[in-house]
Amino acid sequence: MAGKQKYEAVMGLETHVELLTETKMFCGCKISFGEDKNIYTCPVCLGHPGTLPVVNKKAVEYALKIALALNCSINHYTIFHRKNYFYPDQSKNYQISQFDLPLGVKGYLDLDMGDYTRRVNITRVHMEEDTGKLVHTGSTGRISEAGASIVDFNRCGTPLIEIVTEPDIRTPEEARQYMVELRNLILYLEVSDCSMEQGSLRCDANVSIRKQGAGTLGTKTEIKNLNSFKFLQKGLAYEIKRQTALLESGKEVIQQTRHYDNNTDTTKALRSKEEAHDYRYFPDPDLVPLNIEQELIDRVAASIPELPQQKAARFKKQYGLSDYDADFLANDTYMSQYFEDVCQHYGDAKAVCNWIMGDFSALVNQQQIPFEKAKVKARDLAEMLKMIDSGKISSKIAKSVFEQMFSTGRKPEAIIEEQGLTQISDTGLLQGIIDEVIGNNPEAVSQYREGKQKAIGFLIGQVMARTKGKANPKLVNEMIVKKIK
């Protein structure tokens, strides 16, 4: 791209995280996704006159947990504001949020980009409530093609955390990695399910372009409600390209809010971008200030588990795993725990890692189930690996056994005994099969004797086929070589 070296992209993200509390931020209404419309509402979350909101204590603790995990300083005195704007899914005409006294400030998250580390500074972590949801009728679900729009207020008032970064991100790949690592971190904290499909994790991306080396920022646009890592990366890539083309042609970038259309892989203007003063923030008169005592901060800090980056570093040191292997395992709280559970019963950590990252993950992805829902018990996988080491089953047979363990949850011993899958290491039995294979394939024998090492693989394959994969391949290799050398 012509402008790639001439211009530099500057990006910051505003991420919204719905908290996994049982009730809403300021009332006792239940939170539940996918229920009938408008069954979990009350005068408080709908903003009826005369109602008084009460802060959800669990939501404050969850927000505190996120802020601390992102290395933020905590404001001991914090208040809620009213953010005034009209939108059809906002029954109050204002949103309870935080303005100049957010819960957490000045944190950071380091991104492992392979060749380098990018530190993304966190401007603020603040609490607010979610809006309702507009459902557009019609087959596409798009407002432009809908005959009507229906408002569902079940979601309004759900505790929401907004995490705002400094404009420290320079590429769409870094933006994607930030969201991936942020999601993994929050999942470890167990304060949100981070379901991007259901909207409990979504982000707005601010992006501007400036000449390389320039000290001031360019005019920014905001891409709203990006709910997948792929759309975030592709939306930013398009917007960088669009803004670069504008500047190259002598035109100006207009500050506005835009929407990413994944069907056309473009962004489209929605409205002019609001500034903070457009919202007429003022302290919510119905909510008392929160005094965050140090005892609460200490207690929440003590409850934070080992986080993904810390765990990956430990895996490398304790188990001798590579950077890639350690990061892969540590990025999933359930997978990393399963790995350690298997290692308690089986000593070769690299072999355990290979099975989890290979056959196990492939079946999880193929059947589209969460890792933690898989039926294979850690002790059973360890037992199967021991059988491979002892020569009871071959690696090839093990794959078949594992597939059955995965689909049924049965123990490997039962499957092997029932189906007669024990590896054949009887030299007397194997010798007869090997003699037959050698006799039927003189050309391969000649090729091996002429120095073509691959020919031995063909002969071993013939023996494995005749024994339905049950022959001990190492023993077969030794016996064939001895026979034809």
Side-chain angles (χ1 to χ4, degrees):
M1 185 169 67
K4 187 175 181 181
Q5 296 180 348
K6 184 177 178 181
Y7 295 100
E8 175 187 47
V10 179
M11 288 162 273
L13 300 184
E14 299 173 8
T15 307
H16 289 92
V17 184
E18 284 185 353
L19 298 181
L20 209 55
T21 54
E22 293 183 0
T23 57
K24 294 185 178 181
M25 186 71 202
F26 301 110
C27 67
C29 285
K30 181 181 176 182
I31 299 171
S32 184
F33 181 82
E35 302 280 0
D36 290 341
K37 307 290 185 294
N38 297 310
I39 61 172
Y40 297 128
T41 62
C42 73
V44 175
C45 58
L46 292 177
H48 289 186
T51 56
L52 289 174
V54 177
V55 175
N56 184 329
K57 182 180 177 183
K58 182 61 71 177
V60 175
E61 292 181 0
Y62 282 1
L64 197 52
K65 211 169 185 179
I66 292 176
L68 289 169
L70 289 170
N71 307 293
C72 288
S73 298
I74 304 301
N75 278 322
H76 288 260
Y77 177 84
T78 182
I79 63 174
F80 288 98
H81 281 74
R82 289 186 180 182
K83 182 180 180 181
N84 296 279
Y85 65 99
F86 170 77
Y87 207 66
D89 60 4
Q90 179 89 305
S91 59
K92 300 173 183 170
N93 279 348
Y94 65 83
Q95 178 186 26
I96 301 177
S97 183
Q98 293 191 296
F99 182 49
D100 56 350
L101 286 170
L103 182 70
V105 295
K106 296 181 179 177
Y108 64 87
L109 180 64
D110 287 333
L111 310 181
D112 180 2
M113 298 304 298
D115 297 336
Y116 66 96
T117 298
R118 169 71 71 192
R119 171 159 292 190
V120 179
N121 289 288
I122 306 295
T123 311
R124 55 190 284 140
V125 173
H126 71 249
M127 299 176 286
E128 58 187 27
E129 59 178 344
D130 210 346
T131 60
K133 185 178 180 181
L134 286 176
V135 181
H136 308 300
T137 62
S139 58
T140 65
R142 297 177 179 280
I143 190 171
S144 58
E145 300 166 16
S149 294
I150 302 166
V151 188
D152 179 8
F153 286 116
N154 280 348
R155 194 179 72 175
C156 79
T158 297
L160 200 63
I161 299 303
E162 183 167 346
I163 302 165
V164 182
T165 77
E166 292 291 302
D168 292 336
I169 297 169
R170 292 293 175 268
T171 67
E173 291 76 21
E174 289 182 0
R176 183 184 189 283
Q177 187 65 18
Y178 169 83
M179 284 299 291
V180 168
E181 296 207 14
L182 181 65
R183 176 179 180 274
N184 292 338
L185 181 146
I186 293 171
L187 285 174
Y188 262 66
L189 298 176
E190 297 182 336
V191 298
S192 173
D193 62 12
C194 290
S195 169
M196 300 186 84
E197 294 78 14
Q198 297 178 5
S200 51
L201 178 70
R202 56 193 191 268
C203 84
D204 305 333
N206 291 294
V207 54
S208 63
I209 297 295
R210 65 182 177 190
K211 287 188 177 179
Q212 285 282 359
T216 57
L217 297 174
T219 303
K220 68 180 178 182
T221 61
E222 180 184 48
I223 310 175
K224 294 288 286 185
N225 287 328
L226 294 157
N227 63 354
S228 86
F229 301 135
K230 179 181 175 182
F231 293 166
L232 169 65
Q233 187 170 347
K234 295 186 75 170
L236 284 172
Y238 173 81
E239 190 58 16
I240 291 169
K241 187 177 178 181
R242 187 187 73 86
Q243 291 189 21
T244 301
L246 285 172
L247 297 183
E248 285 285 275
S249 62
K251 298 178 181 176
E252 293 184 357
V253 175
I254 299 172
Q255 181 167 321
Q256 57 188 189
T257 297
R258 301 180 69 84
H259 161 73
Y260 172 69
D261 185 338
N262 61 294
N263 291 317
T264 59
D265 194 20
T266 60
T267 65
K268 296 177 181 175
L270 289 175
R271 57 182 183 270
S272 61
K273 178 78 177 77
E274 297 89 349
E275 300 286 358
H277 62 258
D278 292 324
Y279 293 116
R280 305 293 194 271
Y281 282 97
F282 66 84
D284 192 306
D286 292 335
L287 285 163
V288 297
L290 291 181
N291 291 301
I292 310 293
E293 297 180 351
Q294 189 60 44
E295 182 276 334
L296 175 62
I297 297 173
D298 293 342
R299 179 163 57 81
V300 171
S303 72
I304 293 176
E306 183 182 42
L307 297 175
Q309 292 180 358
Q310 297 167 331
K311 183 170 286 187
R314 179 170 64 80
F315 279 6
K316 282 182 269 187
K317 183 177 181 181
Q318 182 175 344
Y319 299 106
L321 300 181
S322 67
D323 290 351
Y324 179 81
D325 291 350
D327 289 342
F328 186 95
L329 293 174
N331 280 338
D332 186 305
T333 180
Y334 299 105
M335 187 185 294
S336 59
Q337 184 59 56
Y338 185 86
F339 165 75
E340 295 209 270
D341 289 345
V342 180
C343 287
Q344 286 186 0
H345 306 289
Y346 182 74
D348 187 345
K350 178 57 179 171
V352 176
C353 173
N354 288 345
W355 271 91
I356 292 176
M357 293 173 63
D359 294 65
F360 206 142
S361 293
L363 288 171
V364 165
N365 293 332
Q366 184 184 39
Q367 299 191 19
Q368 297 185 328
I369 61 172
F371 187 90
E372 63 273 21
K373 299 293 185 186
K375 297 176 180 176
V376 182
K377 294 182 175 62
R379 185 185 288 273
D380 291 342
L381 176 55
E383 289 303 315
M384 192 197 77
L385 295 175
K386 289 176 184 175
M387 291 179 192
I388 298 173
D389 290 348
S390 68
K392 185 171 184 178
I393 57 172
S394 67
S395 297
K396 184 175 181 181
I397 290 292
K399 288 179 177 292
S400 171
V401 171
F402 184 77
E403 287 178 5
Q404 295 178 66
M405 292 165 63
F406 190 89
S407 60
T408 66
R410 298 182 69 197
K411 292 182 175 298
E413 300 96 319
I415 296 170
I416 291 165
E417 294 302 323
E418 180 181 282
Q419 301 179 22
L421 299 175
T422 301
Q423 186 167 251
I424 300 172
S425 296
D426 182 333
T427 54
L429 178 60
L430 290 175
Q431 192 62 63
I433 299 171
I434 289 171
D435 289 345
E436 187 179 342
V437 167
I438 289 174
N440 291 338
N441 296 280
E443 186 176 352
V445 174
S446 298
Q447 288 175 346
Y448 176 74
R449 287 171 174 162
E450 292 167 0
K452 294 183 179 178
Q453 294 296 320
K454 288 184 178 179
I456 198 75
F458 172 78
L459 295 170
I460 293 171
Q462 292 297 304
V463 175
M464 297 305 290
R466 287 170 185 261
T467 60
K468 297 180 179 179
K470 294 192 287 185
N472 182 329
K474 183 180 178 185
L475 184 59
V476 169
N477 181 66
E478 292 172 355
M479 293 176 69
I480 292 177
V481 170
K482 185 178 179 181
K483 182 76 177 180
I484 66 177
K485 198 170 183 179

